[in-house]
Amino acid sequence: MKNTAYFSMEFAIDQSLKTYAGGLGFLAGSHFRAAKRLNVPLVGVSMLWSYGYYDQVRDREGRMKVENIRKYYDFLTDIDLKVPVVINGTNIWVKAYKLEENTFNTCPIYFLTTDIPENDHLSRTISYGLYDGNNLTHIAQEIVLGIGGYKVIRECENVKRYHINEAHSLPVAFKMLEDYETDYVKEHLLFTTHTPIPAGNETQDINLLKSMGFFGSIDTKTAEKYGGNPFNLTVAALRMCKRSNAVSELHRDTSEKMWAWVTNREPIMNITNAQDKYYWQDRQIKEAAGKKDIKMLRERKMELKKQLFEEVADQTGSLFDPNILTVVWARRFADYKRPSFLLRDEKRFKNLLKTGKIQVIWAGKPHPADSNAQITFNWIVSKTRELKNVSVLTGYELKLSKLLKQGSDVWLNTPRRPNEASGTSGMTASMNASIHMSTMDGWHVEWAKAYPKDSFTIGDGVNLDEDYEANEMYKHLERTIKIYDTDEWWEKAINSVNHVVEYFDAERMIMEYTKKFYSD
């Protein structure tokens, strides 16, 4: 039996299992792969999204298009279990499937769905798509994950602790409060926060939550004591949990300042995120870097670049050259990540391209309801369509992410400090000899401090003026063009590969969670 249940709206386990949107899911995937190897008694609880997040395709003019295609998985075990959950006064059945440990070598995960014949059409749509843009559906998803997940776990496992990855599954805390009392919740609930933007921490009308069943039988006055009115899910989680953590040193400092006004809460500790080298790192890259063999590393990197460029050619009709410096910006399309930052000074960007010594790839999924992010994606497509050596790819999921990380030379990260909690994609790029170039935000602050020569740091983290940061970014790119494919370059790449796994590998993270977080 498992000691700790880990609740997460998304898990990125395998390309074939499309139950994730971005970094939160990628992290959960690495968490569960490493925990399995280290025999940490974890069990996951998540949602089985009938249509995944969404399928990112192109329309007839090459602009981004959202498609919703039903997914089927014959590798999930039907455990023949349904539990009832009350939403909006209606009894809804939640069915559980299990991802067995040996399927993808992870700790087991229970996936929940309402998309079954026992429910009416509206109830079935609750588990259709991840992060539904309709607020009522979104709240219903949180109730299914929290309360439905709690009931499934109580039926199937003997769990001591409930670890909620972000506050989406907070109804689990109120279900515990309903069944026991405050001290029990305080002893059994653990919380990881990921969002250092006040607007990104979900706030809801407390009466709406109550009427929908978010608090179960707990009265509104009690709920308000934890989350305030309007009700803030993160604030309630901080007050109800035994322990809480942020996911990088800077994120902890930012979170402590952001939530300094919240009374009756535990201090927020830091467990810096990490990614699983066994899943993400190319074996030959690791071997070449371990031997400090530049020739071997270069040859393998060229092979990996060719593999990536086959995808580029297939999607866009552009033929990229493996001998040319390749810069990638790829992550979830969100405003604070500044996806169009490379184009801030278009003339300077085009001058870089005119050298014929640099290639640039963009990739990433905007939220299907975020029209501004989709406009940005399409704007980048329109601005770069006529440019040689630039491509914008669709379908940024595990498979493409791995291709990009293994096939790029520079992994560009441009968030507005201090909005990026961690930004772990650069860790897995660095494991594959793609050198991280980033503003001073998220995990990069710790990486740049530990090994300043293993990456490129944009700006100083103090002057946050966008023109200044853009100028620093262009200067770094101009310099990388000059040193690319020299011994200096490959030595930097070798050091990056060897050093990043010392701290930013998931096994260190899991051991820290076990020692600091999961221990009694």
Side-chain angles (χ1 to χ4, degrees), residues 36-48:
K36 166 68 174 169
R37 277 198 307 276
L38 297 175
N39 294 313
V40 176
L42 267 183
V43 59
V45 184
S46 194
M47 298 284 287
L48 185 61

Side-chain angles (χ1 to χ4, degrees), residues 191-206:
F191 170 53
T192 299
T193 178
H194 291 266
T195 314
I197 310 166
N201 287 270
E202 190 177 340
T203 302
Q204 297 281 359
D205 181 295
I206 197 166

Side-chain angles (χ1 to χ4, degrees), residues 451-503:
Y451 292 105
K453 292 181 180 178
D454 289 2
S455 60
F456 300 103
T457 299
I458 298 167
D460 56 12
V462 179
N463 181 356
L464 304 182
D465 177 75
E466 294 213 337
D467 287 335
Y468 160 73
E469 288 191 327
N471 182 51
E472 291 295 300
M473 173 183 67
Y474 292 126
K475 284 199 292 190
H476 276 307
L477 291 170
E478 286 156 4
R479 179 168 175 262
T480 56
I481 286 171
K482 289 176 184 170
I483 65 166
Y484 176 64
D485 209 9
T486 62
D487 282 359
E488 179 188 351
W489 178 270
W490 295 112
E491 282 163 14
K492 191 181 186 80
I494 282 169
N495 288 334
S496 173
V497 174
N498 289 332
H499 293 152
V500 74
V501 293
E502 291 175 2
Y503 188 72

